[in-house]
Amino acid sequence: MTSRLEPGEQAPAFSLPDDTGRTVTLSDFAGRKVIVYFYPAAMTPGCTKQACDFSESLESLRKDGYEVVGISKDKPAKLATFREHDHLTIPLLSDEDLTVHTAYGAWGEKKLYGKTVEGVIRSTFVVDEEGKVSHAFYNVKATGHVAKLRRDLGIAD
């Protein structure tokens, strides 16, 4: 079983390429709150819905002091296609070797159609201004997730 992060723990540092090849690190967000979410695969229905929801909510989330970054195991080129095809405005990061997924507990055993498989556990983390996890959500649903996250954080729509 992959260990899961708990509120109050230091968020694992990361340094990953985005869809343009630029390196993005967790420390880039120092002094700001950031929502870090992990999704299974670019250009699949649930992941597209979730990424579009975050993109559509980005400006209002920023007004409430939150940045957003999505992480998947997809290659940067696929992420670039995903961004362009769906007009996404959030940073999309590539973690091909699953190091960051594992550090956040977003890779491991899960149930898929009644079978136990190893894969990406759709997860969302809110990291505070000091780099600590303030919220950790595992096995989230793609549809309606942003609205639920806003409610859980006490942010108005």
Side-chain angles (χ1 to χ4, degrees), residues 5 8-14 26 104 125-128 130-133:
L5 294 178
E9 291 182 354
Q10 191 68 34
F14 59 77
L26 181 59
Y104 278 77
F125 306 89
V126 180
V127 179
D128 69 16
E130 285 80 46
K132 294 202 183 304
V133 175

Side-chain angles (χ1 to χ4, degrees), residues 94-117:
S94 173
D95 181 30
E96 290 182 73
D97 68 6
L98 301 168
T99 301
V100 179
H101 282 73
T102 302
Y104 278 77
W107 176 264
E109 284 189 358
K110 65 180 186 174
K111 292 279 187 191
L112 186 65
Y113 305 113
K115 294 184 178 182
T116 300
V117 298

Side-chain angles (χ1 to χ4, degrees), residues 32-54:
R32 294 179 284 165
K33 294 177 276 193
V34 61
I35 297 166
V36 179
Y37 83 97
F38 292 83
Y39 60 98
M43 297 186 291
T44 57
C47 297
T48 299
K49 175 70 175 138
Q50 190 177 24
C52 287
D53 283 354
F54 271 120

Side-chain angles (χ1 to χ4, degrees), residues 12-75:
F14 59 77
S15 179
L16 295 170
D18 71 4
D19 58 295
T20 69
R22 183 177 66 96
T23 299
V24 176
T25 66
L26 181 59
S27 61
D28 292 343
F29 301 98
R32 294 179 284 165
K33 294 177 276 193
V34 61
I35 297 166
V36 179
Y37 83 97
F38 292 83
Y39 60 98
M43 297 186 291
T44 57
C47 297
T48 299
K49 175 70 175 138
Q50 190 177 24
C52 287
D53 283 354
F54 271 120
S55 286
E56 291 165 9
S57 298
L58 185 59
E59 285 310 310
S60 65
L61 287 167
R62 282 182 172 158
K63 285 178 188 169
D64 286 306
Y66 294 89
E67 294 292 330
V68 178
V69 62
I71 301 176
S72 76
K73 59 186 174 66
D74 297 305
K75 295 180 182 312

